[in-house]
Amino acid sequence: MYVIIVYDIEQERVAKVCQYLRRFLYWAQNSVFEGELSEAQLVKVKSGLSKLIDPQRDSVYIYQLPGKKLVKKEILGQEKIVTRTILE
Amino acid sequence: MLSYEEFERLRTNGIKVNYWVVCHRKLWLFAKGLRMEPLSDRVALGQLMHERAYPGTPRREILIDKLIKIDLLESEGKVLEIKYSHKLAEAARLQLAYYLAYLRWLGAGELVGELRFPRERRREEVRLTPELEGRLAEALRGVQQVEQLSAPPSAESTTICRVCAYRELCWG
Amino acid sequence: MAQSYYIFRSGRLRRKQNTLYFEQESEDGQLQKVPIPIENVRDLYLFGEIDLNTKLLTFLAQNEVTLHCFNYYGFYIGSFYPRETNVSGYLLVKQVEHYLDPQKRLEIAKEFVAGALFHLRRNLNYYRNRGREVDVSLEVVESSLKRLNECGSVAELMSEEGRARDAYYQAFNEILELQQPYTKRVRRPPDNEVNSLISFGNSLLYTATLSELYVTQLNPTISYLHEPSQRRFSLALDLSEIFKPLIVDRLIFRLLNRGEIDENDFESIGEAKGVYLKEGARKKFVRVFEEYLQTTVKHRRLKRHVSYRHLIRLEAYKLIKHLVNIETYKSLRAWW
């Protein structure tokens, strides 16, 4: 499935969350990650995140889409994401 | 009930008891080291569920003789077996019965087990009755028989194959 | 969800914050960092001049990622094939048993050749239906296919395959619009454009096959058609025979006939005979190769769509089933 994760995390924890998500997904822009995950990977991501955040203060939204092909994405201005698997 | 000598001779991995109920070919392949579980997303989901279930309850995992992995619910002294779905409940039941028997042979006395299916909010208590022990003895003898087969047992494609980690190996 | 990553840039690949980073110094001295999500990496292809250390290799091994390296000319130089965690001594014994028994070895080798020739014929038929004069080659391949059953040794099998392949390569002059006629397959180094493309494509397919074998319990050094001593991972050579015409050759026909790659995309190596693909063409090839491996077909037995890449894995599973006596091996015959 295709997953978009959006978060609002307090400064002292944000770097850790960002680093953690980099292991699974592509950084799209500030506080946004996206990419393809299996069901088990998503559970793993969620359980990893819940250990890193403070549920009283932080907030993470997870959007799940059935597949990359079903996402219609438009970008205005700069595309920052690097999802290419061929680094030229 | 198995004699101690027979238990010594038949002692095996807990998963094999489970697989004996589910599919003899899967058991045979597993026993020969042709393991497909590491590639299965469903198996990974099951493991994660096991780790994440009941976060507030103190549990302890104990690996015994490198054969069985017991999940002990400390407060109640129960042996837990957490499964994704109750579809293969009989396999889980015998696997748990095997753990209980194993612990008894080690001198832990009469323990009580509990099957849990957190996704379905179901639980089932498991005690070693003579009837259940009879089925366990049959399973343990069966595991050894299957392991000794030089050719793999035949298998039929059924609905449980659809979610099996071995599906592509068997039917691809 | 695993992906193959192809790195053409030069720089450093390192483990950082529990994931992979590719770092490169840009012209103004700035360090550019590209994170690569480790949990989604199947294998890495290094084409650039890249620094790495054992800390990185340890990390790749932990995550069961294979690494394939290519030199300046784009020639394959070797792979990092991490220690396997999922092994079966039983299967290894069976693999060896089927190698040592000439009859058993021949049976498997024959299936590899049968699959390969079937796909050679399929390509020729495709172009015959489009009006190309490939009948002569087609006849040779047909007759070789028929004679496979009479082959009593792997050597005979090899020479039958060689005959079919020579005829097949002759048809390249009909399939492709070439300035210089294509005469024969020359390797190490390739001596013309077509051979250079075949070599490059085959090395990509070989490494893709090796990555698929890595996740199975098959030992990649024991093979049946090729001699196990021929190359380190000769089973990958065996299996890729079936897929070469299906994947690599089709890509070459497409790229050359559509003019996506032409004579300007090649360069000679000094004075010596030898031709290699320029970097731009290499990238183009890799891109279409990767796309091609991801295209799917409906699998009749599994009743779902599987990618070409996954068909390689399924081929390995079929071989396992043969070796442990579940089902006689029948190599892939493209049904679509």
Side-chain angles (χ1 to χ4, degrees):
Chain A
M1 73 190 84
Y2 202 76
V3 176
I4 301 166
I5 296 185
V6 181
Y7 56 82
D8 193 345
I9 308 267
E10 290 201 353
Q11 210 190 339
E12 64 239 57
R13 289 178 296 275
V14 71
K16 280 255 183 289
V17 168
C18 186
Q19 279 170 24
Y20 179 72
L21 289 173
R22 276 211 175 101
R23 284 169 50 192
F24 298 86
L25 296 161
Y26 299 101
W27 183 84
Q29 51 174 269
N30 278 341
S31 308
V32 182
F33 276 84
E34 62 178 78
E36 233 154 333
L37 293 179
S38 75
E39 248 182 279
Q41 279 179 318
L42 178 61
V43 174
K44 201 172 159 190
V45 167
K46 284 196 277 192
S47 108
L49 282 177
S50 59
K51 282 179 198 139
L52 292 172
I53 64 165
D54 176 349
Q56 303 303 317
R57 294 168 173 276
D58 304 331
S59 149
V60 180
Y61 290 10
I62 300 170
Y63 300 93
Q64 295 174 38
L65 300 132
K68 195 178 182 177
K69 289 198 179 108
L70 297 164
V71 185
K72 191 180 168 206
K73 186 157 93 176
E74 274 183 88
I75 297 158
L76 303 179
Q78 292 300 305
E79 176 171 25
K80 293 188 165 183
I81 189 168
V82 195
T83 57
R84 277 167 295 139
T85 55
I86 300 173
L87 270 61
E88 299 179 25
Chain B
M1 196 179 143
L2 293 171
S3 67
Y4 187 78
E5 288 67 35
E6 213 175 352
F7 162 71
E8 275 289 302
R9 198 164 52 76
L10 296 177
R11 220 152 44 137
T12 187
N13 191 311
I15 296 169
K16 287 184 189 168
V17 175
N18 183 306
Y19 282 5
W20 183 79
V21 180
V22 178
C23 171
H24 289 188
R25 186 194 273 179
K26 185 175 178 172
L27 165 60
W28 188 88
L29 290 167
F30 180 86
K32 300 294 178 199
L34 292 161
R35 303 189 173 176
M36 301 295 286
E37 293 79 2
L39 297 173
S40 161
D41 204 53
R42 199 181 153 91
V43 171
L45 270 174
Q47 277 163 359
L48 285 161
M49 191 192 66
H50 179 100
E51 284 162 27
R52 283 160 49 89
Y54 318 112
T57 328
R59 285 153 59 195
R60 197 145 57 107
E61 262 197 359
I62 312 159
L63 182 66
I64 298 170
D65 300 339
K66 288 189 181 159
L67 286 176
I68 60 167
K69 207 193 225 171
I70 309 282
D71 190 4
L72 201 63
L73 187 61
E74 288 190 316
S75 54
E76 300 171 39
K78 273 184 183 169
V79 180
L80 284 193
E81 184 58 33
I82 302 167
K83 293 286 181 202
Y84 199 74
S85 143
H86 79 282
K87 278 215 186 90
L88 301 169
E90 173 64 6
R93 210 172 283 130
L94 278 188
Q95 187 182 351
L96 186 50
Y98 177 56
Y99 293 166
L100 297 175
Y102 202 112
L103 291 165
R104 189 178 61 195
W105 280 310
L106 292 181
E110 295 291 334
L111 289 169
V112 178
E114 193 167 279
L115 291 176
R116 290 201 181 178
F117 309 98
R119 274 172 71 249
E120 298 157 354
R121 299 178 183 277
R122 283 167 81 127
R123 35 178 87 182
E124 177 190 319
E125 204 175 71
V126 176
R127 284 172 195 273
L128 278 177
T129 60
E131 192 267 333
L132 185 56
E133 274 186 64
R135 264 150 57 209
L136 175 62
E138 190 198 347
L140 287 171
R141 290 182 195 119
V143 167
Q144 194 169 63
Q145 262 171 17
V146 171
E147 278 191 275
Q148 284 166 353
L149 293 175
S150 59
S154 62
E156 253 176 77
S157 180
T158 66
T159 49
I160 54 165
C161 295
R162 251 182 282 163
V163 291
C164 179
Y166 290 68
R167 179 176 182 220
E168 290 196 336
L169 179 59
C170 268
W171 308 114
Chain C
M1 305 304 117
Q3 302 272 8
S4 293
Y5 285 81
Y6 303 87
I7 304 177
F8 286 94
R9 298 191 205 167
S10 290
R12 168 171 286 274
L13 194 62
R14 57 187 291 207
R15 173 193 181 159
K16 205 175 133 189
Q17 294 159 352
N18 267 325
T19 194
L20 284 177
Y21 271 84
F22 182 73
E23 296 179 344
Q24 186 182 33
E25 220 169 288
S26 61
E27 278 160 31
D28 54 6
Q30 289 270 351
L31 197 61
Q32 257 194 307
K33 296 180 206 167
V34 182
I36 298 173
I38 183 69
E39 303 274 347
N40 276 335
V41 184
R42 173 195 307 109
D43 48 13
L44 294 163
Y45 286 76
L46 307 189
F47 289 97
E49 199 177 299
I50 291 160
D51 292 333
L52 43 86
N53 59 20
T54 52
K55 188 176 150 194
L56 177 88
L57 295 179
T58 308
F59 188 55
L60 295 181
Q62 276 167 5
N63 288 281
E64 295 171 359
V65 171
T66 47
L67 180 82
H68 308 298
C69 301
F70 294 76
N71 70 9
Y72 174 78
Y73 300 108
F75 298 152
Y76 171 68
I77 48 171
S79 296
F80 173 59
Y81 195 81
R83 190 173 65 96
E84 291 148 299
T85 49
N86 197 7
V87 290
S88 165
Y90 178 80
L91 184 64
L92 178 60
V93 170
K94 287 287 165 191
Q95 272 188 269
V96 174
E97 184 191 307
H98 282 78
Y99 171 77
L100 291 174
D101 181 327
Q103 234 10 72
K104 286 181 176 168
R105 179 180 171 191
L106 185 63
E107 199 188 341
I108 299 173
K110 212 174 263 182
E111 267 309 303
F112 289 148
V113 176
L117 296 198
F118 179 90
H119 292 129
L120 297 188
R121 184 177 66 183
R122 187 169 177 268
N123 283 354
L124 294 175
N125 270 325
Y126 177 89
Y127 282 100
R128 196 187 61 164
N129 294 340
R130 273 154 190 75
R132 306 295 170 96
E133 298 282 335
V134 296
D135 288 359
V136 182
S137 302
L138 200 52
E139 244 168 69
V140 178
V141 175
E142 291 275 9
S143 66
S144 283
L145 256 172
K146 285 196 193 103
R147 275 199 300 267
L148 287 187
N149 269 332
E150 295 150 31
C151 290
S153 68
V154 172
E156 277 178 57
L157 205 55
M158 286 279 223
S159 76
E160 205 58 70
E161 194 213 359
R163 194 170 348 207
R165 236 174 237 288
D166 285 345
Y168 173 73
Y169 285 132
Q170 284 312 310
F172 276 34
N173 291 307
E174 282 296 323
I175 296 170
L176 302 167
E177 289 114 47
L178 298 169
Q179 288 178 330
Q180 302 280 329
Y182 181 71
T183 51
K184 66 176 199 293
R185 176 84 181 102
V186 174
R187 308 168 174 84
R188 263 165 272 169
D191 64 345
N192 63 36
E193 285 86 348
V194 175
N195 278 329
S196 165
L197 279 170
I198 298 176
S199 289
F200 188 64
N202 285 352
S203 65
L204 290 179
L205 180 64
Y206 166 81
T207 47
T209 308
L210 187 57
S211 290
E212 292 304 316
L213 281 175
Y214 180 66
V215 294
T216 74
Q217 292 87 356
L218 285 167
N219 184 306
T221 65
I222 298 164
S223 56
Y224 303 96
L225 178 60
H226 297 83
E227 276 301 330
S229 51
Q230 205 161 329
R231 244 207 262 164
R232 195 168 146 222
F233 301 120
S234 42
L235 186 58
L237 287 179
D238 275 9
L239 279 176
S240 54
E241 285 301 327
I242 304 165
F243 292 91
K244 277 180 194 170
L246 198 58
I247 297 171
V248 178
D249 297 352
R250 293 300 289 266
L251 282 181
I252 293 171
F253 300 153
R254 190 167 98 187
L255 287 168
L256 288 176
N257 282 345
R258 289 188 191 167
E260 288 173 43
I261 285 182
D262 59 31
E263 61 270 27
N264 300 320
D265 285 313
F266 299 89
E267 210 144 8
S268 306
I269 303 174
E271 301 273 301
K273 254 192 164 190
V275 179
Y276 67 96
L277 272 162
K278 282 185 193 163
E279 207 185 340
R282 245 179 265 165
K283 289 175 185 167
K284 203 176 282 172
F285 197 105
V286 162
R287 215 177 299 129
V288 291
F289 178 79
E290 183 58 38
E291 255 171 46
Y292 211 76
L293 284 184
Q294 286 181 25
T295 48
T296 59
V297 288
K298 178 88 184 263
H299 194 281
R300 290 178 299 188
R301 268 168 64 162
L302 292 173
K303 295 192 177 62
R304 65 176 180 85
H305 281 82
V306 296
S307 65
Y308 277 28
R309 186 194 293 279
H310 202 65
L311 284 173
I312 303 175
R313 170 95 60 90
L314 293 177
E315 210 57 20
Y317 289 162
K318 275 154 57 183
L319 187 58
I320 293 177
K321 270 194 286 190
H322 179 91
L323 295 168
V324 304
N325 203 10
I326 288 181
E327 191 175 59
T328 306
Y329 176 58
K330 180 107 169 83
S331 62
L332 175 79
R333 313 285 150 90
W335 60 80
W336 55 92

